[in-house]
Amino acid sequence: MNRFYVMLGTLAVAFCGLLIYLLKTNPAAPRAATEAPVAVLDDGFRGDTLGSNAAPVEIAEYSDFECPYCANFATIQMPTIKDQLIATGKVRWRYRDFPLPGHKYSRYAAHAAQCAGEQGKFWEMHDQLFYHHSWAQTGRNPTSMFRDFARAAGLDLARYDACMESGRFASRIEVSRREGEQRLVDGTPTFFVNGVKFTGPRPTSDAFKAIVDSLTARRK
C-alpha cells in the first residue's frame, strides 16, 4: 500500500514538473496582445510600407497573418511584385492589419509583427510569419514559435518579450481593422490601388503589373 502511494506521489511530481516545463517553454499568450482593446487610441500610424514615397502608384493591402490565402499571396505573388513593381520605383506597398474574428491568433501575430516593426524589422517578421505558416494550421498557442521567428528576424528578444507582454500595439491593430471595415473590406487579402478597391478575379503579380502599367501610361 505504501509503495502504491509512493508511486502515485512520484507520478504527481513528474506531472507537475512536465507542466512547469511546458509553461516555461510555451507560456500563455498575453491577453493584452491577443484581444481587442477596450479603449482604442489612434497613434496616427497608417501601416508599414515598402518602396519609394515618390512612386506614382500606392497599393494598400489589408491582410491577416493567420489567413492561408494571405500566406499564399505573400510567398508566391509578393516576391515578383517586389522585383517588378516595388524595386523599380513604380509602386509603394502599404500593409494594413485586418485580423478576422474567426482566427484565434491573428491579432497576436499582428502584434508580433508590430513589435518587430518597433525595432525596424516588420518585413522580416512578416516573412517569418507567412513563410512558416504551419503555426496557423495547428490551433495551438504559437508563443514559442513567434519568439523563434523573432530570433530569426534578428530582434532583441528582451525588447520583443516586453513589447508582447505589454500589448502596446493592440490599439494600432484595432484602428487598422476599423479602417478596413469602413472601406468595406470583407475578407483577406483585400487590396486598394491608388484608393480604388481591386476587384479582379485573382490578385496576382501579373494582374497588378497590368494595372500599374496602365496607370503609369496615363501619366505620360
Side-chain angles (χ1 to χ4, degrees):
M1 195 64 155
N2 288 340
R3 183 177 296 175
F4 170 77
Y5 285 115
V6 169
M7 185 177 296
L8 190 62
T10 302
L11 288 173
V13 170
F15 176 77
C16 289
L18 177 61
L19 184 60
I20 291 170
Y21 170 76
L22 290 174
L23 288 173
K24 283 184 176 180
T25 55
N26 200 24
R31 292 181 62 183
T34 56
E35 299 180 1
V38 175
V40 179
L41 300 174
D42 187 349
D43 64 1
F45 181 77
R46 290 297 177 268
D48 292 272
T49 61
L50 282 175
S52 170
N53 289 334
V57 178
E58 177 174 290
I59 299 178
E61 172 190 6
Y62 287 82
S63 186
D64 176 336
F65 281 108
E66 198 166 337
C67 162
Y69 303 106
C70 300
N72 183 277
F73 178 83
T75 56
I76 296 176
Q77 304 299 333
M78 198 62 184
T80 302
I81 290 170
K82 285 180 180 177
D83 289 343
Q84 292 185 345
L85 301 177
I86 298 173
T88 56
K90 296 179 179 179
V91 166
R92 176 176 59 252
W93 197 271
R94 188 178 301 275
Y95 185 96
R96 301 296 280 140
D97 287 304
F98 194 80
L100 297 171
H103 289 165
K104 185 176 181 180
Y105 292 109
S106 58
R107 285 181 186 270
Y108 193 38
H111 201 277
Q114 288 302 316
C115 286
E118 184 180 49
Q119 298 186 40
K121 300 280 187 178
F122 171 84
W123 291 103
E124 288 83 350
M125 193 64 164
H126 166 282
D127 289 351
Q128 288 290 324
L129 290 163
F130 277 138
Y131 276 86
H132 304 94
H133 209 241
S134 59
W135 67 267
Q137 317 307 321
T138 65
R140 298 175 184 172
N141 173 15
T143 296
S144 290
M145 290 187 72
F146 285 3
R147 198 168 190 273
D148 288 342
F149 296 163
R151 182 183 292 108
L155 300 185
D156 177 324
L157 292 182
R159 286 180 62 193
Y160 168 81
D161 289 341
C163 179
M164 293 298 283
E165 191 64 35
S166 71
R168 72 170 58 109
F169 294 118
S171 281
R172 175 181 289 186
I173 293 162
E174 178 61 11
V175 166
S176 179
R177 189 198 67 77
R178 292 183 184 184
E179 176 190 275
E181 209 169 50
Q182 291 172 356
R183 300 183 76 177
L184 303 181
V185 173
D186 55 4
T188 54
T190 292
F191 306 90
F192 291 83
V193 182
N194 279 354
V196 178
K197 191 174 184 179
F198 173 82
T199 57
R202 291 186 63 226
T204 64
S205 58
D206 286 343
F208 284 122
K209 184 177 184 302
I211 294 171
V212 170
D213 285 349
S214 175
L215 290 172
T216 304
R218 291 179 200 172
R219 294 169 59 92
K220 294 179 180 179

